[in-house]
Amino acid sequence: MISYQTTTPGAPLERVESDTPQPQGSEVLVKMVACGVCHSDIHMHEGVFELGNGKQLEVGREGMVLGHEIFGEVVALGPEAENVEIGDRRVVFPWIGCGDCAACKRGEEQLCTPGQVLGISKSGGFADYVLVPHSRYLFDKGDVSDSLAATYACSGLTAYGALKKVGDLMEGDELVIIGAGGVGMMAIQIARALGMDPIVVDIDEGKLEAARALGVSRTYNSSEPQTAKELRKATGGAYAALDFVGAEASVSYGLGCLRKGGMLVIIGLYGGALSMPIPFLPMNARIIQGSYVGSLQDMTELMDMVRAGKIAAIEIHERPLDEANDALADLKAGKVKGRQVLVPS
């Protein structure tokens, strides 16, 4: 099989030829049909997350096969594999835990540390084949395209998991989505499918125009910081803001949108540090919460919506697997609208 692996931090991925893995026990081997390219892949490729104030979290290592948004065809089964057949085409849930820790026993495998996450801890979809530990991590996609289906394993699940944290909106409750990139656009589609009418914020007028094309009626350009005050004045303050950027500026903007008792959910991992007066938290009764992808149950609920045709498609750009390095570079440079998806070369 061919895979594209990390070398030194930030260096081009290396094309590596190796033996195709053979599934054991309950394992399932899938042939990669489509694999989305995520901002998290950039961080793992570069080997660091920016923590602000000159600090970094080192995460990369040599020999990683990135890619956690995987759609593939089942080509081999371990002797104990059940409920799946060769030839099945499935979306792969990659956020796999150890199965034994407290988080896993609560059904929150995505919070297991270090876990067995495909594309991070284990080899992912920047390859011809991917080994999946169990068939319970495989989901039928319904009638959507192969490349779109792959994106539900991260951008779709991340958006859905964040929206679930908001809960049911009451009359007058406003939802703000900050960042209309690949994950933010997915959040817009899912929010609308759930009956929400989100306000969308971005620094890129082209992305705001794309959001308006999806039916969003209220947009703000956050390159002008005073628009947070304008948004708060127009709405009386938002009940919830979902930050799909996760930068110092976007977090500050999100806090500036909120009413008393409002909620800021931070999903993006761009980087930086948060500094604010502690008394403002109790005085304003605000919640600041992180959201990391979603659970296996969240994935089940999301894919039910996908198969029912409730979620409109986002913009997809297919590229051959051997252009993985270019795909990472273009995403880092901010040249991508929607989602890039690698397909077999």
Side-chain angles (χ1 to χ4, degrees):
M1 62 174 273
I2 301 298
S3 62
Y4 288 81
Q5 301 184 8
T6 56
T7 55
T8 55
L13 302 177
E14 180 182 15
R15 184 181 186 274
V16 176
E17 186 169 355
S18 59
D19 293 336
T20 301
Q22 300 301 310
Q24 308 295 318
S26 63
E27 293 175 336
V28 178
L29 184 69
V30 299
K31 183 177 182 180
M32 191 275 282
V33 174
C35 183
V37 183
C38 176
H39 270 95
S40 295
D41 292 316
I42 294 176
H43 292 295
M44 302 308 293
H45 175 233
E46 294 183 336
V48 295
F49 284 91
E50 296 295 336
L51 302 180
N53 301 318
K55 298 179 181 179
Q56 295 179 324
L57 174 66
E58 295 185 3
V59 293
R61 66 179 189 279
E62 186 175 349
M64 297 176 66
V65 181
L66 304 176
H68 49 267
E69 293 190 342
I70 305 161
F71 178 77
E73 179 178 340
V74 176
V75 294
L77 302 171
E80 299 170 18
E82 299 178 337
N83 303 317
V84 65
E85 297 180 359
I86 290 175
D88 286 349
R89 294 162 67 85
R90 296 288 185 263
V91 182
V92 180
F93 176 88
W95 313 103
I96 299 166
C98 68
D100 294 323
C101 69
C104 288
K105 290 176 181 177
R106 285 196 305 268
E108 298 177 329
E109 290 189 57
Q110 79 278 13
L111 303 182
C112 178
T113 303
Q116 305 179 70
V117 179
L118 302 179
I120 298 178
S121 300
K122 302 289 185 180
S123 294
F126 286 15
D128 294 338
Y129 298 93
V130 181
L131 198 60
V132 183
H134 197 280
S135 63
R136 65 174 173 269
Y137 302 116
L138 303 178
F139 289 83
D140 181 13
K141 71 179 180 68
D143 296 327
V144 301
S145 72
D146 296 347
S147 293
L148 177 60
T151 67
Y152 290 117
C154 177
S155 63
L157 180 61
T158 298
Y160 183 73
L163 284 163
K164 278 191 68 174
K165 289 178 173 60
V166 174
D168 295 330
L169 298 180
M170 307 295 288
E171 184 178 353
D173 289 343
E174 296 285 5
L175 170 69
V176 177
I177 290 175
I178 301 173
V183 186
M185 292 295 278
M186 189 74 79
I188 294 168
Q189 300 288 42
I190 296 173
R192 289 175 58 81
L194 294 171
M196 301 175 180
D197 180 25
I199 299 167
V200 176
V201 173
D202 202 286
I203 61 173
D204 186 328
E205 192 58 40
K207 291 180 179 177
L208 293 176
E209 180 59 38
R212 290 190 286 268
L214 294 177
V216 173
S217 60
R218 297 170 294 171
T219 60
Y220 289 82
N221 192 315
S222 55
S223 63
E224 303 168 0
Q226 76 276 8
T227 59
K229 294 182 179 179
E230 295 171 6
L231 190 162
R232 190 173 66 247
K233 183 178 180 180
T235 62
Y239 170 69
L242 305 185
D243 182 3
F244 290 98
V245 181
E248 293 181 29
S250 61
V251 168
S252 295
Y253 192 99
L255 288 170
C257 293
L258 298 178
R259 72 188 192 203
K260 270 195 172 184
M263 172 191 305
L264 174 65
V265 182
I266 303 172
I267 307 103
L269 295 165
Y270 187 87
L274 173 63
S275 177
M276 64 179 298
I278 292 174
F280 283 3
L281 286 172
M283 288 169 63
N284 290 308
R286 287 175 176 164
I287 298 169
I288 301 176
Q289 182 173 6
S291 184
Y292 185 68
V293 294
S295 68
L296 197 60
Q297 178 60 35
D298 292 337
M299 186 71 174
T300 299
E301 295 170 7
L302 172 66
M303 294 311 297
D304 284 344
M305 294 178 66
V306 170
R307 289 190 295 272
K310 294 182 178 180
I311 302 175
I314 63 168
E315 186 174 350
I316 297 292
H317 305 276
E318 292 185 351
R319 306 187 71 155
L321 178 59
D322 58 15
E323 291 185 11
N325 282 302
D326 294 333
L328 289 171
D330 288 348
L331 184 59
K332 182 180 179 182
K335 297 180 179 179
V336 180
K337 287 196 298 182
R339 203 69 160 179
Q340 294 181 112
V341 177
L342 303 177
V343 297
S345 301

